[in-house]
Amino acid sequence: MNISKHIEYTLLKPTTTEREIIDLCYEAIQNDYYGVCINSSYVALARQLLENSPTKVCSVVGFPFGAMSTDAKVFEAKKAIEDGAEEIEMVINLGFLKSKNYVSVLKDISDVKMAIGNTTLKVILEISELNKNEIIKACEICLDANVDFIKTSSGFSKGGATLTATKIIKKTIKDAAKITASGDIEDLETSMKYLEVGVHRIGFNALLNKKTKKARPIS
């Protein structure tokens, strides 16, 4: 099975250079990946590089901690779309969630969703920081905010995707939203396990390609 169209090729390290973004986009085109996921400062460059390609540009906003003001996230999201982003990812406000300030969590997500209209919105839960009940509650809030995707992890916390947490997400949201599994997924075999439990996309760190040949989840 060729799973290229499920792959979100990701490069979000703060020291990412223009050359690395060029390489990222070239490899995404070459391997027919679904899209690239990058910081908002490089959206315009990526859009130019991918102009004649079906590969999508996804930009993160309020990244990686999700603790920025909602207004800041809204501004960054709108600017990213103006620069050519076709999908937006934001990290859920973990502090609000841990405080059980669910109204503020919902407002944070809803304001971004309203600001970007029909543009796809993904919300990163950061599952390594949450217990089962918090994952369920976060998913319920995301559904109330009409998000398009729920993503497991940012890659900047203490752990990435797990099958257990992914199954909890899937059981909670059913088919009301889609799932992106990201973090600690390094090969075809692992990717397939996530797709089998209902994941729609796999976040694949481009840096792994530079370190190990096994880290290419393509048949």
Side-chain angles (χ1 to χ4, degrees), residues 66-130:
M68 300 73 177
S69 71
T70 301
D71 287 346
K73 293 177 185 177
V74 166
F75 179 87
E76 188 178 13
K78 291 169 74 173
K79 182 63 170 68
I81 293 170
E82 180 183 320
D83 287 345
E86 297 160 281
E87 299 187 354
I88 297 295
E89 283 187 12
M90 63 179 287
V91 183
I92 199 168
N93 191 309
L94 292 168
F96 287 165
L97 186 66
K98 292 284 187 180
S99 300
K100 298 185 178 181
N101 185 354
Y102 303 134
V103 172
S104 292
V105 177
L106 176 61
K107 184 179 185 303
D108 188 52
I109 300 170
S110 295
D111 283 5
V112 174
K113 179 60 180 173
M114 286 189 290
I116 68 175
N118 293 326
T119 302
T120 295
L121 177 63
K122 298 180 225 160
V123 175
I124 303 170
L125 299 191
E126 207 69 276
I127 58 170
S128 65
E129 302 289 345
L130 306 177

Coordinates of all heavy atoms in Angstrom, one line a residue, residues 66-130:
G66 N 0.8 26.8 22.5 CA -0.7 27.1 22.6 C -1.1 28.1 23.6 O -2.3 28.3 23.8
A67 N -0.1 28.7 24.3 CA -0.4 29.6 25.4 C -0.5 31.0 25.0 O -0.6 31.9 25.9 CB 0.6 29.4 26.5
M68 N -0.4 31.3 23.7 CA -0.5 32.7 23.3 C -1.9 33.2 23.4 O -2.8 32.4 23.5 CB 0.0 32.8 21.8 CG 1.4 32.4 21.6 SD 1.6 30.5 21.7 CE 3.3 30.3 21.3
S69 N -2.1 34.5 23.3 CA -3.5 35.0 23.3 C -4.2 34.6 22.0 O -3.6 34.3 21.0 CB -3.4 36.6 23.3 OG -3.0 37.1 22.1
T70 N -5.5 34.5 22.2 CA -6.4 34.1 21.1 C -6.2 35.1 19.9 O -6.1 34.7 18.7 CB -7.8 34.0 21.5 OG1 -7.9 33.1 22.5 CG2 -8.7 33.6 20.3
D71 N -6.2 36.4 20.2 CA -6.0 37.4 19.2 C -4.7 37.2 18.4 O -4.7 37.4 17.1 CB -6.0 38.8 19.8 CG -7.4 39.2 20.3 OD1 -8.4 38.6 19.9 OD2 -7.5 40.2 21.0
A72 N -3.7 36.8 19.1 CA -2.4 36.5 18.4 C -2.5 35.4 17.4 O -2.0 35.4 16.3 CB -1.3 36.3 19.4
K73 N -3.2 34.3 17.9 CA -3.4 33.1 17.0 C -4.3 33.5 15.8 O -4.0 33.0 14.7 CB -4.1 32.0 17.8 CG -3.2 31.4 19.0 CD -4.0 30.4 19.7 CE -3.2 29.9 20.9 NZ -4.0 28.9 21.7
V74 N -5.3 34.3 16.0 CA -6.2 34.7 14.9 C -5.4 35.5 13.9 O -5.5 35.2 12.7 CB -7.4 35.5 15.5 CG1 -8.1 36.2 14.3 CG2 -8.3 34.6 16.2
F75 N -4.6 36.4 14.4 CA -3.8 37.3 13.4 C -2.8 36.4 12.6 O -2.7 36.5 11.4 CB -3.0 38.3 14.2 CG -2.2 39.2 13.3 CD1 -2.7 40.3 12.7 CD2 -0.9 38.9 13.1 CE1 -2.0 41.1 11.9 CE2 -0.1 39.7 12.2 CZ -0.7 40.8 11.7
E76 N -2.1 35.5 13.3 CA -1.1 34.7 12.6 C -1.8 33.7 11.6 O -1.3 33.5 10.5 CB -0.3 33.8 13.7 CG 0.8 33.1 13.0 CD 1.7 32.3 14.0 OE1 1.2 32.2 15.2 OE2 2.7 31.8 13.7
A77 N -3.0 33.2 12.0 CA -3.7 32.3 11.1 C -4.1 33.0 9.8 O -4.0 32.6 8.7 CB -4.9 31.7 11.8
K78 N -4.7 34.2 10.0 CA -5.1 35.0 8.8 C -4.0 35.4 7.9 O -4.1 35.4 6.7 CB -5.9 36.2 9.3 CG -7.3 35.9 10.0 CD -7.9 37.0 10.7 CE -8.5 38.0 9.7 NZ -9.3 39.1 10.4
K79 N -2.9 35.8 8.6 CA -1.7 36.1 7.8 C -1.1 34.9 7.0 O -0.7 35.0 5.8 CB -0.6 36.7 8.7 CG 0.7 37.2 7.9 CD 0.3 38.3 7.0 CE 1.6 39.0 6.4 NZ 2.3 38.1 5.5
A80 N -1.1 33.8 7.7 CA -0.7 32.6 7.0 C -1.5 32.2 5.8 O -1.0 31.8 4.7 CB -0.6 31.4 8.0
I81 N -2.8 32.4 5.9 CA -3.7 32.1 4.8 C -3.4 33.1 3.7 O -3.4 32.8 2.5 CB -5.2 32.1 5.2 CG1 -5.4 31.0 6.2 CG2 -6.1 32.1 4.0 CD1 -6.8 31.0 6.9
E82 N -3.3 34.4 4.0 CA -2.9 35.4 3.1 C -1.7 35.1 2.3 O -1.5 35.3 1.1 CB -2.8 36.8 3.8 CG -2.4 37.9 2.9 CD -2.2 39.2 3.7 OE1 -3.0 39.4 4.7 OE2 -1.3 40.0 3.4
D83 N -0.7 34.4 3.0 CA 0.6 34.1 2.4 C 0.5 32.8 1.6 O 1.4 32.4 0.9 CB 1.7 33.9 3.4 CG 2.1 35.3 4.0 OD1 1.8 36.3 3.4 OD2 2.8 35.3 5.0
G84 N -0.6 32.1 1.7 CA -0.8 30.9 0.9 C -1.1 29.6 1.6 O -1.2 28.5 1.0
A85 N -1.2 29.6 2.9 CA -1.5 28.4 3.7 C -2.9 27.9 3.3 O -3.9 28.7 3.2 CB -1.4 28.6 5.2
E86 N -3.0 26.6 3.2 CA -4.3 26.0 2.9 C -4.9 25.2 4.1 O -6.1 24.8 4.1 CB -4.1 25.0 1.7 CG -3.7 25.7 0.4 CD -3.1 24.8 -0.6 OE1 -1.9 24.4 -0.4 OE2 -3.8 24.4 -1.5
E87 N -4.1 25.0 5.1 CA -4.6 24.4 6.3 C -3.9 25.1 7.5 O -2.7 25.6 7.4 CB -4.3 22.9 6.4 CG -5.0 22.1 5.3 CD -4.9 20.6 5.4 OE1 -4.1 20.2 6.3 OE2 -5.5 19.9 4.6
I88 N -4.6 25.2 8.6 CA -4.0 25.8 9.8 C -4.0 24.8 11.0 O -5.0 24.1 11.2 CB -4.8 27.0 10.2 CG1 -4.8 28.1 9.2 CG2 -4.4 27.6 11.6 CD1 -3.4 28.7 8.9
E89 N -2.9 24.8 11.7 CA -2.8 24.0 13.0 C -2.6 24.9 14.2 O -1.7 25.7 14.1 CB -1.7 23.0 12.9 CG -1.9 21.8 12.0 CD -0.8 20.7 12.1 OE1 0.1 20.9 13.0 OE2 -0.8 19.8 11.3
M90 N -3.3 24.6 15.2 CA -3.1 25.4 16.5 C -3.0 24.4 17.6 O -3.7 23.3 17.6 CB -4.2 26.4 16.7 CG -5.6 25.7 16.9 SD -6.9 27.0 17.2 CE -6.6 27.4 18.9
V91 N -2.3 24.7 18.6 CA -2.2 23.9 19.8 C -3.3 24.3 20.8 O -3.5 25.5 21.0 CB -0.8 24.0 20.5 CG1 -0.7 23.0 21.7 CG2 0.3 23.7 19.5
I92 N -4.0 23.4 21.4 CA -5.0 23.7 22.4 C -4.3 24.4 23.6 O -3.1 24.1 23.9 CB -5.7 22.4 22.8 CG1 -7.0 22.7 23.5 CG2 -4.8 21.5 23.7 CD1 -7.9 21.5 23.7
N93 N -5.0 25.3 24.3 CA -4.5 26.0 25.4 C -4.5 25.0 26.6 O -5.5 24.8 27.3 CB -5.2 27.2 25.7 CG -4.5 28.1 26.8 OD1 -4.1 27.6 27.8 ND2 -4.3 29.4 26.5
L94 N -3.4 24.3 26.9 CA -3.3 23.3 27.9 C -3.5 23.9 29.3 O -4.1 23.2 30.2 CB -2.0 22.6 27.8 CG -1.7 21.7 26.6 CD1 -0.2 21.3 26.5 CD2 -2.6 20.5 26.6
G95 N -3.1 25.1 29.5 CA -3.3 25.7 30.8 C -4.8 25.9 31.1 O -5.2 25.6 32.2
F96 N -5.5 26.4 30.1 CA -7.0 26.6 30.3 C -7.6 25.2 30.5 O -8.5 25.1 31.4 CB -7.6 27.2 29.1 CG -7.3 28.7 28.9 CD1 -7.5 29.3 27.7 CD2 -6.8 29.4 30.0 CE1 -7.3 30.7 27.6 CE2 -6.5 30.8 29.8 CZ -6.8 31.4 28.6
L97 N -7.2 24.2 29.7 CA -7.8 22.9 29.9 C -7.5 22.3 31.2 O -8.4 21.7 31.9 CB -7.2 22.0 28.8 CG -7.9 20.6 28.7 CD1 -9.3 20.7 28.2 CD2 -7.1 19.7 27.7
K98 N -6.3 22.4 31.7 CA -5.9 21.9 33.0 C -6.7 22.6 34.1 O -6.9 22.0 35.2 CB -4.4 22.0 33.2 CG -3.6 21.1 32.4 CD -3.6 19.6 32.8 CE -2.7 18.7 32.1 NZ -2.7 17.3 32.5
S99 N -7.0 23.9 33.9 CA -7.7 24.7 34.9 C -9.2 24.4 34.8 O -10.0 24.9 35.6 CB -7.5 26.2 34.6 OG -6.1 26.5 34.7
K100 N -9.6 23.6 33.9 CA -11.0 23.3 33.6 C -11.8 24.5 33.2 O -13.0 24.6 33.5 CB -11.7 22.6 34.9 CG -11.0 21.2 35.2 CD -11.7 20.5 36.3 CE -11.1 19.1 36.5 NZ -11.7 18.4 37.6
N101 N -11.1 25.4 32.6 CA -11.7 26.6 32.1 C -12.2 26.3 30.7 O -11.6 26.8 29.7 CB -10.8 27.8 32.1 CG -11.4 29.1 31.7 OD1 -12.5 29.1 31.3 ND2 -10.6 30.2 31.8
Y102 N -13.2 25.5 30.5 CA -13.5 25.0 29.2 C -14.2 26.0 28.3 O -14.0 25.9 27.1 CB -14.5 23.8 29.4 CG -14.0 22.7 30.3 CD1 -14.7 22.1 31.3 CD2 -12.7 22.2 30.1 CE1 -14.2 21.1 32.1 CE2 -12.1 21.2 30.9 CZ -12.9 20.6 31.9 OH -12.4 19.6 32.7
V103 N -14.8 27.0 28.9 CA -15.3 28.1 28.1 C -14.2 28.8 27.3 O -14.3 29.1 26.1 CB -16.1 29.1 29.0 CG1 -16.5 30.3 28.2 CG2 -17.3 28.4 29.6
S104 N -13.1 29.1 28.0 CA -12.0 29.8 27.4 C -11.3 28.9 26.3 O -10.8 29.4 25.3 CB -10.9 30.2 28.4 OG -11.5 31.2 29.2
V105 N -11.2 27.6 26.6 CA -10.7 26.7 25.6 C -11.5 26.7 24.3 O -11.0 26.8 23.2 CB -10.6 25.2 26.2 CG1 -10.1 24.3 25.1 CG2 -9.7 25.1 27.4
L106 N -12.8 26.6 24.5 CA -13.7 26.7 23.4 C -13.6 28.0 22.6 O -13.6 28.0 21.4 CB -15.2 26.4 23.8 CG -16.3 26.5 22.8 CD1 -16.0 25.5 21.7 CD2 -17.6 26.3 23.4
K107 N -13.6 29.1 23.3 CA -13.5 30.4 22.7 C -12.2 30.5 21.9 O -12.2 31.0 20.8 CB -13.6 31.5 23.7 CG -13.6 32.9 23.0 CD -13.7 34.0 24.1 CE -13.8 35.4 23.4 NZ -12.7 35.7 22.5
D108 N -11.1 30.0 22.4 CA -9.8 30.1 21.8 C -9.9 29.4 20.4 O -9.4 29.9 19.4 CB -8.8 29.4 22.7 CG -7.3 29.6 22.2 OD1 -6.9 30.7 21.9 OD2 -6.6 28.6 22.1
I109 N -10.4 28.2 20.4 CA -10.5 27.4 19.2 C -11.5 28.0 18.2 O -11.3 28.2 17.0 CB -10.8 26.0 19.5 CG1 -9.7 25.3 20.4 CG2 -11.0 25.2 18.2 CD1 -10.1 24.0 20.9
S110 N -12.7 28.3 18.8 CA -13.8 28.9 17.9 C -13.4 30.2 17.2 O -13.8 30.4 16.1 CB -15.1 29.1 18.8 OG -15.5 27.8 19.3
D111 N -12.7 31.0 17.9 CA -12.3 32.3 17.3 C -11.4 32.1 16.1 O -11.5 32.8 15.1 CB -11.7 33.2 18.4 CG -12.7 33.9 19.3 OD1 -13.9 33.5 19.2 OD2 -12.3 34.7 20.1
V112 N -10.5 31.2 16.3 CA -9.6 30.9 15.1 C -10.4 30.3 14.0 O -10.2 30.7 12.8 CB -8.4 29.9 15.6 CG1 -7.6 29.5 14.3 CG2 -7.6 30.6 16.6
K113 N -11.3 29.3 14.3 CA -12.1 28.7 13.3 C -13.0 29.7 12.5 O -13.0 29.7 11.3 CB -13.0 27.6 13.9 CG -13.9 26.9 12.9 CD -13.1 26.2 11.8 CE -14.0 25.5 10.9 NZ -13.3 24.9 9.7
M114 N -13.6 30.6 13.3 CA -14.4 31.6 12.6 C -13.6 32.6 11.8 O -14.0 33.0 10.7 CB -15.2 32.4 13.7 CG -16.4 31.6 14.3 SD -17.4 32.7 15.4 CE -16.3 33.0 16.8
A115 N -12.4 32.9 12.2 CA -11.5 33.8 11.5 C -11.0 33.2 10.1 O -10.8 34.0 9.2 CB -10.3 34.2 12.3
I116 N -10.9 31.9 10.1 CA -10.3 31.3 8.9 C -11.4 30.7 7.9 O -11.1 30.2 6.9 CB -9.3 30.2 9.2 CG1 -9.9 29.0 9.9 CG2 -8.2 30.8 10.0 CD1 -8.9 27.9 10.1
G117 N -12.6 30.8 8.4 CA -13.7 30.3 7.5 C -13.7 28.9 7.1 O -13.6 28.0 7.9
N118 N -13.7 28.6 5.8 CA -13.7 27.3 5.3 C -12.3 26.6 5.2 O -12.2 25.4 4.8 CB -14.3 27.2 3.9 CG -15.8 27.6 3.9 OD1 -16.5 27.3 4.8 ND2 -16.2 28.2 2.8
T119 N -11.3 27.3 5.6 CA -9.9 26.7 5.7 C -9.9 25.6 6.7 O -10.4 25.8 7.8 CB -8.9 27.8 6.0 OG1 -8.9 28.8 5.0 CG2 -7.5 27.2 6.0
T120 N -9.2 24.5 6.4 CA -9.1 23.4 7.3 C -8.4 23.8 8.6 O -7.4 24.4 8.6 CB -8.4 22.2 6.7 OG1 -9.2 21.7 5.6 CG2 -8.2 21.1 7.7
L121 N -9.0 23.5 9.8 CA -8.4 23.7 11.1 C -8.1 22.4 11.8 O -9.0 21.6 11.9 CB -9.3 24.6 11.9 CG -8.8 24.9 13.4 CD1 -7.5 25.7 13.3 CD2 -9.8 25.6 14.2
K122 N -6.9 22.3 12.2 CA -6.5 21.1 13.0 C -6.1 21.7 14.4 O -5.4 22.7 14.5 CB -5.3 20.4 12.4 CG -5.5 19.8 11.1 CD -4.3 19.2 10.6 CE -4.0 19.6 9.1 NZ -2.7 19.4 8.7
V123 N -6.5 20.9 15.4 CA -6.2 21.3 16.8 C -5.3 20.2 17.4 O -5.6 19.0 17.4 CB -7.4 21.5 17.7 CG1 -7.0 21.8 19.1 CG2 -8.2 22.7 17.1
I124 N -4.1 20.6 17.9 CA -3.2 19.7 18.5 C -3.5 19.5 20.0 O -3.5 20.5 20.7 CB -1.7 20.1 18.3 CG1 -1.4 20.3 16.8 CG2 -0.7 19.2 18.9 CD1 -0.1 21.0 16.5
L125 N -3.7 18.3 20.5 CA -4.1 18.1 21.9 C -2.9 18.0 22.8 O -3.0 18.2 24.0 CB -4.9 16.8 22.0 CG -6.2 16.8 21.2 CD1 -7.0 15.5 21.7 CD2 -7.0 18.0 21.4
E126 N -1.7 17.5 22.3 CA -0.5 17.2 23.1 C -0.9 16.2 24.1 O -0.9 16.4 25.3 CB 0.0 18.5 23.8 CG 1.4 18.5 24.0 CD 2.3 18.5 22.8 OE1 2.5 17.5 22.2 OE2 2.7 19.6 22.4
I127 N -1.2 15.0 23.6 CA -1.7 13.9 24.4 C -0.7 13.4 25.6 O -1.2 12.9 26.6 CB -2.1 12.6 23.6 CG1 -0.8 12.1 22.8 CG2 -3.2 13.0 22.6 CD1 -1.1 10.8 22.1
S128 N 0.6 13.7 25.4 CA 1.5 13.2 26.5 C 1.3 14.1 27.7 O 1.8 13.7 28.8 CB 2.9 13.4 26.0 OG 3.3 14.7 25.7
E129 N 0.6 15.2 27.6 CA 0.4 16.1 28.8 C -1.0 15.8 29.4 O -1.4 16.5 30.4 CB 0.5 17.5 28.4 CG 1.8 17.9 27.8 CD 2.9 17.9 28.8 OE1 2.6 17.9 30.0 OE2 4.1 17.9 28.4
L130 N -1.8 14.9 28.8 CA -3.2 14.8 29.2 C -3.5 13.3 29.7 O -3.0 12.4 29.2 CB -4.1 15.1 28.1 CG -4.0 16.5 27.4 CD1 -4.9 16.6 26.2 CD2 -4.2 17.6 28.4

